[in-house]
mmCIF file of all heavy atoms in Angstrom:
data_model
loop_
_atom_site.group_PDB
_atom_site.id
_atom_site.type_symbol
_atom_site.label_atom_id
_atom_site.label_comp_id
_atom_site.label_asym_id
_atom_site.label_seq_id
_atom_site.Cartn_x
_atom_site.Cartn_y
_atom_site.Cartn_z
ATOM 1 N N THR A 1 -5.426 13.313 -5.632
ATOM 2 C CA THR A 1 -6.322 14.147 -6.422
ATOM 3 C C THR A 1 -7.476 14.652 -5.554
ATOM 4 O O THR A 1 -7.797 14.044 -4.524
ATOM 5 C CB THR A 1 -6.914 13.399 -7.633
ATOM 6 O OG1 THR A 1 -7.661 12.293 -7.121
ATOM 7 C CG2 THR A 1 -5.837 12.955 -8.580
ATOM 8 N N GLY A 2 -8.080 15.731 -5.998
ATOM 9 C CA GLY A 2 -9.232 16.288 -5.257
ATOM 10 C C GLY A 2 -10.484 15.433 -5.474
ATOM 11 O O GLY A 2 -10.493 14.452 -6.230
ATOM 12 N N ASP A 3 -11.560 15.848 -4.845
ATOM 13 C CA ASP A 3 -12.801 15.111 -4.917
ATOM 14 C C ASP A 3 -13.497 15.221 -6.275
ATOM 15 O O ASP A 3 -14.417 14.458 -6.558
ATOM 16 C CB ASP A 3 -13.779 15.576 -3.822
ATOM 17 C CG ASP A 3 -13.331 15.160 -2.442
ATOM 18 O OD1 ASP A 3 -12.612 14.132 -2.334
ATOM 19 O OD2 ASP A 3 -13.668 15.854 -1.455
ATOM 20 N N ASN A 4 -13.088 16.160 -7.130
ATOM 21 C CA ASN A 4 -13.699 16.324 -8.434
ATOM 22 C C ASN A 4 -13.142 15.376 -9.499
ATOM 23 O O ASN A 4 -13.559 15.454 -10.646
ATOM 24 C CB ASN A 4 -13.580 17.781 -8.903
ATOM 25 C CG ASN A 4 -14.368 18.731 -8.074
ATOM 26 O OD1 ASN A 4 -15.360 18.356 -7.476
ATOM 27 N ND2 ASN A 4 -13.911 19.969 -7.972
ATOM 28 N N TYR A 5 -12.209 14.528 -9.129
ATOM 29 C CA TYR A 5 -11.610 13.575 -10.020
ATOM 30 C C TYR A 5 -12.709 12.617 -10.529
ATOM 31 O O TYR A 5 -13.496 12.104 -9.728
ATOM 32 C CB TYR A 5 -10.500 12.777 -9.318
ATOM 33 C CG TYR A 5 -9.704 11.876 -10.184
ATOM 34 C CD1 TYR A 5 -8.864 12.381 -11.174
ATOM 35 C CD2 TYR A 5 -9.740 10.520 -9.998
ATOM 36 C CE1 TYR A 5 -8.113 11.540 -11.962
ATOM 37 C CE2 TYR A 5 -8.964 9.667 -10.799
ATOM 38 C CZ TYR A 5 -8.178 10.171 -11.750
ATOM 39 O OH TYR A 5 -7.409 9.353 -12.542
ATOM 40 N N ASN A 6 -12.799 12.396 -11.829
ATOM 41 C CA ASN A 6 -13.865 11.598 -12.413
ATOM 42 C C ASN A 6 -13.561 10.124 -12.311
ATOM 43 O O ASN A 6 -13.059 9.480 -13.237
ATOM 44 C CB ASN A 6 -14.075 11.993 -13.881
ATOM 45 C CG ASN A 6 -15.321 11.380 -14.472
ATOM 46 O OD1 ASN A 6 -16.164 10.892 -13.773
ATOM 47 N ND2 ASN A 6 -15.398 11.384 -15.775
ATOM 48 N N LYS A 7 -13.835 9.565 -11.134
ATOM 49 C CA LYS A 7 -13.601 8.149 -10.893
ATOM 50 C C LYS A 7 -14.746 7.621 -10.045
ATOM 51 O O LYS A 7 -15.145 8.247 -9.064
ATOM 52 C CB LYS A 7 -12.253 7.940 -10.153
ATOM 53 C CG LYS A 7 -11.884 6.495 -10.017
ATOM 54 C CD LYS A 7 -10.476 6.382 -9.446
ATOM 55 C CE LYS A 7 -10.007 4.942 -9.426
ATOM 56 N NZ LYS A 7 -8.631 4.804 -8.955
ATOM 57 N N LYS A 8 -15.304 6.477 -10.429
ATOM 58 C CA LYS A 8 -16.432 5.896 -9.703
ATOM 59 C C LYS A 8 -15.957 5.494 -8.304
ATOM 60 O O LYS A 8 -14.831 5.010 -8.120
ATOM 61 C CB LYS A 8 -16.998 4.681 -10.425
ATOM 62 C CG LYS A 8 -17.754 5.065 -11.676
ATOM 63 C CD LYS A 8 -18.373 3.828 -12.294
ATOM 64 C CE LYS A 8 -19.141 4.228 -13.541
ATOM 65 N NZ LYS A 8 -19.850 3.092 -14.104
ATOM 66 N N CYS A 9 -16.800 5.653 -7.340
ATOM 67 C CA CYS A 9 -16.579 5.181 -5.953
ATOM 68 C C CYS A 9 -15.355 5.837 -5.322
ATOM 69 O O CYS A 9 -14.659 5.216 -4.532
ATOM 70 C CB CYS A 9 -16.470 3.685 -5.894
ATOM 71 S SG CYS A 9 -17.906 2.814 -6.531
ATOM 72 N N LEU A 10 -15.094 7.061 -5.667
ATOM 73 C CA LEU A 10 -13.935 7.775 -5.097
ATOM 74 C C LEU A 10 -14.227 8.150 -3.643
ATOM 75 O O LEU A 10 -15.207 8.794 -3.345
ATOM 76 C CB LEU A 10 -13.635 9.046 -5.899
ATOM 77 C CG LEU A 10 -12.409 9.845 -5.509
ATOM 78 C CD1 LEU A 10 -11.137 9.013 -5.822
ATOM 79 C CD2 LEU A 10 -12.349 11.162 -6.256
ATOM 80 N N VAL A 11 -13.390 7.688 -2.750
ATOM 81 C CA VAL A 11 -13.500 8.025 -1.321
ATOM 82 C C VAL A 11 -13.147 9.497 -1.156
ATOM 83 O O VAL A 11 -12.395 10.055 -1.958
ATOM 84 C CB VAL A 11 -12.535 7.111 -0.510
ATOM 85 C CG1 VAL A 11 -12.542 7.433 0.960
ATOM 86 C CG2 VAL A 11 -12.889 5.667 -0.724
ATOM 87 N N SER A 12 -13.637 10.154 -0.121
ATOM 88 C CA SER A 12 -13.424 11.558 0.062
ATOM 89 C C SER A 12 -11.924 11.872 0.174
ATOM 90 O O SER A 12 -11.130 11.030 0.593
ATOM 91 C CB SER A 12 -14.106 12.070 1.318
ATOM 92 O OG SER A 12 -13.419 11.646 2.477
ATOM 93 N N PHE A 13 -11.550 13.072 -0.228
ATOM 94 C CA PHE A 13 -10.174 13.525 -0.155
ATOM 95 C C PHE A 13 -9.624 13.339 1.247
ATOM 96 O O PHE A 13 -8.512 12.840 1.427
ATOM 97 C CB PHE A 13 -10.020 14.971 -0.580
ATOM 98 C CG PHE A 13 -8.608 15.481 -0.423
ATOM 99 C CD1 PHE A 13 -7.657 15.279 -1.429
ATOM 100 C CD2 PHE A 13 -8.207 16.136 0.728
ATOM 101 C CE1 PHE A 13 -6.346 15.711 -1.274
ATOM 102 C CE2 PHE A 13 -6.917 16.573 0.892
ATOM 103 C CZ PHE A 13 -5.973 16.349 -0.106
ATOM 104 N N CYS A 14 -10.380 13.731 2.244
ATOM 105 C CA CYS A 14 -9.931 13.652 3.645
ATOM 106 C C CYS A 14 -9.583 12.216 4.038
ATOM 107 O O CYS A 14 -8.552 11.972 4.683
ATOM 108 C CB CYS A 14 -10.973 14.240 4.598
ATOM 109 S SG CYS A 14 -11.163 16.004 4.434
ATOM 110 N N ASP A 15 -10.407 11.262 3.632
ATOM 111 C CA ASP A 15 -10.150 9.870 3.955
ATOM 112 C C ASP A 15 -8.913 9.340 3.213
ATOM 113 O O ASP A 15 -8.087 8.652 3.789
ATOM 114 C CB ASP A 15 -11.344 8.991 3.635
ATOM 115 C CG ASP A 15 -12.512 9.248 4.591
ATOM 116 O OD1 ASP A 15 -12.285 9.814 5.694
ATOM 117 O OD2 ASP A 15 -13.651 8.875 4.244
ATOM 118 N N ARG A 16 -8.804 9.692 1.949
ATOM 119 C CA ARG A 16 -7.637 9.254 1.179
ATOM 120 C C ARG A 16 -6.369 9.908 1.702
ATOM 121 O O ARG A 16 -5.296 9.241 1.775
ATOM 122 C CB ARG A 16 -7.798 9.542 -0.326
ATOM 123 C CG ARG A 16 -8.899 8.678 -0.940
ATOM 124 C CD ARG A 16 -9.128 8.953 -2.422
ATOM 125 N NE ARG A 16 -9.775 10.227 -2.619
ATOM 126 C CZ ARG A 16 -9.230 11.275 -3.296
ATOM 127 N NH1 ARG A 16 -8.034 11.185 -3.824
ATOM 128 N NH2 ARG A 16 -9.910 12.392 -3.418
ATOM 129 N N TYR A 17 -6.419 11.173 2.081
ATOM 130 C CA TYR A 17 -5.283 11.869 2.672
ATOM 131 C C TYR A 17 -4.852 11.153 3.943
ATOM 132 O O TYR A 17 -3.658 10.894 4.148
ATOM 133 C CB TYR A 17 -5.675 13.314 2.975
ATOM 134 C CG TYR A 17 -4.546 14.133 3.563
ATOM 135 C CD1 TYR A 17 -3.719 14.832 2.711
ATOM 136 C CD2 TYR A 17 -4.298 14.160 4.918
ATOM 137 C CE1 TYR A 17 -2.656 15.607 3.238
ATOM 138 C CE2 TYR A 17 -3.266 14.899 5.454
ATOM 139 C CZ TYR A 17 -2.428 15.614 4.602
ATOM 140 O OH TYR A 17 -1.406 16.315 5.120
ATOM 141 N N GLU A 18 -5.806 10.811 4.796
ATOM 142 C CA GLU A 18 -5.456 10.115 6.067
ATOM 143 C C GLU A 18 -4.844 8.737 5.785
ATOM 144 O O GLU A 18 -3.893 8.344 6.507
ATOM 145 C CB GLU A 18 -6.701 9.975 6.931
ATOM 146 C CG GLU A 18 -7.162 11.308 7.526
ATOM 147 C CD GLU A 18 -6.155 11.927 8.458
ATOM 148 O OE1 GLU A 18 -5.514 11.216 9.234
ATOM 149 O OE2 GLU A 18 -6.022 13.175 8.422
ATOM 150 N N MET A 19 -5.318 8.031 4.790
ATOM 151 C CA MET A 19 -4.749 6.711 4.480
ATOM 152 C C MET A 19 -3.301 6.844 3.996
ATOM 153 O O MET A 19 -2.445 6.074 4.378
ATOM 154 C CB MET A 19 -5.597 5.984 3.435
ATOM 155 C CG MET A 19 -6.920 5.490 3.945
ATOM 156 S SD MET A 19 -7.827 4.462 2.804
ATOM 157 C CE MET A 19 -8.476 5.665 1.621
ATOM 158 N N VAL A 20 -3.045 7.843 3.124
ATOM 159 C CA VAL A 20 -1.687 8.045 2.652
ATOM 160 C C VAL A 20 -0.784 8.505 3.795
ATOM 161 O O VAL A 20 0.364 8.085 3.916
ATOM 162 C CB VAL A 20 -1.602 9.040 1.484
ATOM 163 C CG1 VAL A 20 -0.171 9.353 1.073
ATOM 164 C CG2 VAL A 20 -2.389 8.497 0.280
ATOM 165 N N LEU A 21 -1.340 9.326 4.672
ATOM 166 C CA LEU A 21 -0.579 9.790 5.847
ATOM 167 C C LEU A 21 -0.166 8.597 6.709
ATOM 168 O O LEU A 21 1.000 8.528 7.159
ATOM 169 C CB LEU A 21 -1.424 10.764 6.657
ATOM 170 C CG LEU A 21 -0.752 11.444 7.813
ATOM 171 C CD1 LEU A 21 0.430 12.301 7.344
ATOM 172 C CD2 LEU A 21 -1.713 12.327 8.560
ATOM 173 N N LEU A 22 -1.041 7.651 6.901
ATOM 174 C CA LEU A 22 -0.692 6.451 7.667
ATOM 175 C C LEU A 22 0.396 5.654 6.953
ATOM 176 O O LEU A 22 1.290 5.112 7.613
ATOM 177 C CB LEU A 22 -1.927 5.563 7.859
ATOM 178 C CG LEU A 22 -2.972 6.051 8.834
ATOM 179 C CD1 LEU A 22 -4.215 5.188 8.770
ATOM 180 C CD2 LEU A 22 -2.431 6.070 10.259
ATOM 181 N N MET A 23 0.332 5.599 5.631
ATOM 182 C CA MET A 23 1.351 4.845 4.867
ATOM 183 C C MET A 23 2.718 5.509 4.958
ATOM 184 O O MET A 23 3.722 4.830 4.977
ATOM 185 C CB MET A 23 0.893 4.743 3.402
ATOM 186 C CG MET A 23 1.852 3.995 2.515
ATOM 187 S SD MET A 23 1.272 3.895 0.798
ATOM 188 C CE MET A 23 1.504 5.574 0.227
ATOM 189 N N THR A 24 2.753 6.823 5.053
ATOM 190 C CA THR A 24 4.014 7.559 5.003
ATOM 191 C C THR A 24 4.572 7.915 6.377
ATOM 192 O O THR A 24 5.702 8.367 6.485
ATOM 193 C CB THR A 24 3.892 8.862 4.198
ATOM 194 O OG1 THR A 24 2.941 9.722 4.831
ATOM 195 C CG2 THR A 24 3.459 8.589 2.754
ATOM 196 N N ASN A 25 3.803 7.686 7.390
ATOM 197 C CA ASN A 25 4.092 8.170 8.740
ATOM 198 C C ASN A 25 5.435 7.717 9.304
ATOM 199 O O ASN A 25 6.049 8.438 10.057
ATOM 200 C CB ASN A 25 2.982 7.739 9.688
ATOM 201 C CG ASN A 25 2.540 8.859 10.592
ATOM 202 O OD1 ASN A 25 2.970 9.996 10.463
ATOM 203 N ND2 ASN A 25 1.655 8.534 11.501
ATOM 204 N N ASN A 26 5.905 6.563 8.961
ATOM 205 C CA ASN A 26 7.140 6.028 9.535
ATOM 206 C C ASN A 26 8.383 6.328 8.744
ATOM 207 O O ASN A 26 9.456 5.824 9.080
ATOM 208 C CB ASN A 26 6.998 4.523 9.769
ATOM 209 C CG ASN A 26 5.914 4.214 10.801
ATOM 210 O OD1 ASN A 26 5.725 4.962 11.756
ATOM 211 N ND2 ASN A 26 5.220 3.128 10.599
ATOM 212 N N ASN A 27 8.296 7.078 7.682
ATOM 213 C CA ASN A 27 9.454 7.317 6.844
ATOM 214 C C ASN A 27 9.609 8.847 6.573
ATOM 215 O O ASN A 27 8.764 9.430 5.907
ATOM 216 C CB ASN A 27 9.308 6.546 5.521
ATOM 217 C CG ASN A 27 10.579 6.555 4.713
ATOM 218 O OD1 ASN A 27 11.315 7.531 4.689
ATOM 219 N ND2 ASN A 27 10.832 5.469 4.015
ATOM 220 N N PRO A 28 10.684 9.422 7.032
ATOM 221 C CA PRO A 28 10.892 10.861 6.831
ATOM 222 C C PRO A 28 11.125 11.245 5.373
ATOM 223 O O PRO A 28 11.044 12.431 5.020
ATOM 224 C CB PRO A 28 12.125 11.197 7.681
ATOM 225 C CG PRO A 28 12.855 9.873 7.794
ATOM 226 C CD PRO A 28 11.797 8.806 7.777
ATOM 227 N N ASN A 29 11.375 10.281 4.508
ATOM 228 C CA ASN A 29 11.588 10.535 3.094
ATOM 229 C C ASN A 29 10.309 10.479 2.254
ATOM 230 O O ASN A 29 10.342 10.665 1.060
ATOM 231 C CB ASN A 29 12.628 9.595 2.498
ATOM 232 C CG ASN A 29 13.989 9.758 3.168
ATOM 233 O OD1 ASN A 29 14.399 10.879 3.445
ATOM 234 N ND2 ASN A 29 14.646 8.680 3.439
ATOM 235 N N LEU A 30 9.203 10.181 2.941
ATOM 236 C CA LEU A 30 7.917 10.119 2.255
ATOM 237 C C LEU A 30 7.013 11.171 2.910
ATOM 238 O O LEU A 30 6.874 11.180 4.157
ATOM 239 C CB LEU A 30 7.267 8.734 2.393
ATOM 240 C CG LEU A 30 8.050 7.536 1.849
ATOM 241 C CD1 LEU A 30 7.312 6.244 2.093
ATOM 242 C CD2 LEU A 30 8.342 7.738 0.365
ATOM 243 N N GLU A 31 6.390 12.016 2.098
ATOM 244 C CA GLU A 31 5.519 13.065 2.621
ATOM 245 C C GLU A 31 4.229 13.061 1.823
ATOM 246 O O GLU A 31 4.102 12.404 0.794
ATOM 247 C CB GLU A 31 6.190 14.435 2.505
ATOM 248 C CG GLU A 31 7.385 14.634 3.387
ATOM 249 C CD GLU A 31 7.911 16.058 3.298
ATOM 250 O OE1 GLU A 31 7.272 16.920 2.712
ATOM 251 O OE2 GLU A 31 9.020 16.245 3.814
ATOM 252 N N ILE A 32 3.285 13.843 2.303
ATOM 253 C CA ILE A 32 1.995 14.010 1.604
ATOM 254 C C ILE A 32 1.668 15.499 1.544
ATOM 255 O O ILE A 32 1.999 16.240 2.454
ATOM 256 C CB ILE A 32 0.882 13.207 2.299
ATOM 257 C CG1 ILE A 32 -0.423 13.348 1.496
ATOM 258 C CG2 ILE A 32 0.732 13.575 3.711
ATOM 259 C CD1 ILE A 32 -1.513 12.410 1.939
ATOM 260 N N SER A 33 1.062 15.898 0.421
ATOM 261 C CA SER A 33 0.661 17.292 0.252
ATOM 262 C C SER A 33 -0.881 17.328 0.141
ATOM 263 O O SER A 33 -1.485 16.437 -0.390
ATOM 264 C CB SER A 33 1.259 17.859 -1.036
ATOM 265 O OG SER A 33 0.673 19.106 -1.339
ATOM 266 N N SER A 34 -1.449 18.391 0.669
ATOM 267 C CA SER A 34 -2.895 18.568 0.567
ATOM 268 C C SER A 34 -3.305 19.515 -0.533
ATOM 269 O O SER A 34 -4.418 19.999 -0.634
ATOM 270 C CB SER A 34 -3.453 19.082 1.895
ATOM 271 O OG SER A 34 -2.914 20.361 2.186
ATOM 272 N N ILE A 35 -2.375 19.781 -1.464
ATOM 273 C CA ILE A 35 -2.619 20.766 -2.523
ATOM 274 C C ILE A 35 -3.812 20.370 -3.422
ATOM 275 O O ILE A 35 -4.456 21.211 -3.989
ATOM 276 C CB ILE A 35 -1.347 20.987 -3.384
ATOM 277 C CG1 ILE A 35 -1.499 22.245 -4.214
ATOM 278 C CG2 ILE A 35 -1.046 19.810 -4.258
ATOM 279 C CD1 ILE A 35 -0.218 22.710 -4.841
#
């Protein structure tokens, strides 16, 4: 979700994107979208 998601202590989109990217990096069947 984007940074406007109403959740306390939400880390920035860029940081969450990078964390998911690290999680999916070793598997070609897992991807991430920046939409």
Side-chain angles (χ1 to χ4, degrees):
T1 59
D3 290 333
N4 293 333
Y5 187 67
N6 189 17
K7 187 173 186 177
K8 289 184 179 185
C9 303
L10 185 67
V11 177
S12 75
F13 175 85
C14 291
D15 289 342
R16 292 180 287 117
Y17 182 92
E18 289 297 321
M19 288 188 285
V20 175
L21 187 61
L22 288 171
M23 181 180 73
T24 62
N25 226 5
N26 295 325
N27 191 325
N29 297 320
L30 301 179
E31 292 184 12
I32 183 170
S33 171
S34 63
I35 196 168

